Amino acid sequence: MSAVPQIQRLTVSKIRARKGGDPIVCLTAYTAPIAHLLDSFVDLILVGDSAAMVVHGHETTLPITLDLMIAHAQAVMRGSTRALVVLDLPFGSYEQGPEQAFASAARAMKEAHVGAVKLEGGQRVAPTIAFLTGRGVPVVAHIGLLPQSVQAAGYRTTGRRRDEWAAIIEDAKAVADAGAFAVVLEGMAEPLAAEITKLIRIPTIGIGASANCDGQILVTEDLLGLTMSGRVPSFVRRYADLNKVIGEAVAAYAADVKARRFPAVEHTYALKQN
Ligand code: KIV
């Protein structure tokens, strides 16, 4: 008996075909209920390694493991039916070389059924991207500010100096030539991100880059105002203040508990008749 697919998700080729067209809406999710809320509005859900910071309270993205990323991706897949789900390969799961990257990506695809993986780096990881795409693994590349390299390079906007541009443009061309179907441009000077968007034939997805990218991505909790520090990067527009909403709700609950102020529980158990 052949399996009948129940779910029609956006495909990699549909996302790639949006180059220069209708902007691609992307957000992160790590859990089923958030994925469910996003699903009808976004084209691509990234199970970002930002989960290390946002969900697990780490200071960087580095500590999260592939096992945890797969568990988050499984939840996101259960919560969504429409968006393309992409798993971020975490630090340490692909840098040794193409074979290690393929083993990690294959686990993500077999165990979580994600549609694609993302990895950080430009020319350095182009051979890995070519190896993956040549073996049926769709890849989103990620250049500019690389959170997994924070210990070496810090969180610094890239391309502010004109003499940095050539290397970053080469990174963009290298990942596109290697077969990535889209590339995240993070923390990049606006004119450089706009220039790369014009130069390469795959969609660019900006975060702190340029409104002229082919799509945009944000960490969902940042736009919702649901952060432990209460701070968000300067390029984030906050659309809600969930820290405030949740804080007020929990304070109201605590006050009710202390005042023994609860609606009476109805006695629904009928007395057993003999
Ligand atoms: O991990 C992440 O959430 C990301 C995006 C912010 C691009 O890589």
Side-chain angles (χ1 to χ4, degrees):
M1 200 173 83
S2 62
V4 180
Q6 302 293 313
I7 291 175
Q8 288 295 318
R9 286 185 187 273
L10 268 155
T11 58
V12 163
S13 49
K14 285 220 168 95
I15 300 283
R16 195 197 290 114
R18 298 265 288 273
K19 175 73 192 173
D22 190 22
I24 305 162
V25 184
C26 315
L27 280 173
T28 59
Y30 324 110
T31 63
I34 294 287
H36 182 69
L37 286 170
L38 305 184
D39 197 37
S40 49
F41 300 101
V42 304
D43 302 304
L44 184 154
I45 298 178
L46 174 68
V47 185
D49 61 354
S50 48
M53 302 167 79
V54 175
V55 181
H56 298 281
H58 291 292
E59 285 190 0
T60 70
T61 60
L62 302 186
I64 200 155
T65 61
L66 182 59
D67 283 345
L68 261 180
M69 290 298 298
I70 288 174
H72 284 299
Q74 287 167 336
V76 167
M77 289 295 290
R78 284 192 288 268
S80 61
T81 59
R82 188 191 149 271
L84 176 70
V85 176
V86 178
L87 176 143
D88 219 355
L89 288 179
F91 178 69
S93 72
Y94 63 95
E95 298 87 339
Q96 275 170 27
E99 279 85 3
Q100 188 205 18
F102 182 78
S104 300
R107 275 198 64 198
M109 293 174 79
K110 282 156 107 77
E111 295 175 35
H113 302 173
V114 294
V117 298
K118 175 168 88 58
L119 49 84
E120 295 186 9
Q123 298 167 73
R124 179 176 56 82
V125 295
T128 296
I129 296 176
F131 190 90
L132 293 180
T133 55
R135 284 159 182 77
V137 179
V139 176
V140 176
H142 182 152
I143 63 170
L145 188 160
L146 304 179
Q148 291 179 5
S149 301
V150 62
Q151 310 286 18
Y155 291 112
R156 193 180 71 84
T157 300
T158 55
R160 279 207 172 117
R161 289 198 334 256
R162 203 55 206 232
D163 60 4
E164 289 178 70
W165 280 36
I168 301 170
I169 290 173
E170 284 315 307
D171 280 341
K173 287 183 175 164
V175 297
D177 290 346
F181 73 91
V183 56
V184 170
L185 308 183
E186 177 163 2
M188 192 177 285
E190 204 281 333
L192 174 58
E195 176 75 5
I196 288 174
T197 302
K198 271 194 248 148
L199 280 175
I200 62 174
R201 62 184 186 285
I202 58 171
T204 58
I205 299 170
I207 170 162
S210 166
N212 290 314
C213 288
D214 299 297
Q216 298 293 329
I217 187 160
L218 282 179
V219 169
T220 299
E221 283 73 2
D222 284 348
L223 76 87
L224 295 178
L226 183 60
T227 61
M228 251 164 68
S229 67
R231 290 191 307 273
V232 291
S234 56
F235 55 82
V236 173
R237 181 180 301 166
R238 223 178 47 186
Y239 292 81
D241 189 353
L242 290 199
N243 275 4
K244 184 162 175 272
V245 171
I246 294 174
E248 285 171 2
V250 174
Y253 166 76
D256 280 346
V257 171
K258 287 184 199 288
R260 301 184 189 284
R261 197 165 47 216
F262 272 93
V265 177
E266 277 189 32
H267 292 266
T268 51
Y269 300 109
L271 283 177
K272 203 171 167 195
Q273 306 286 323
N274 279 329

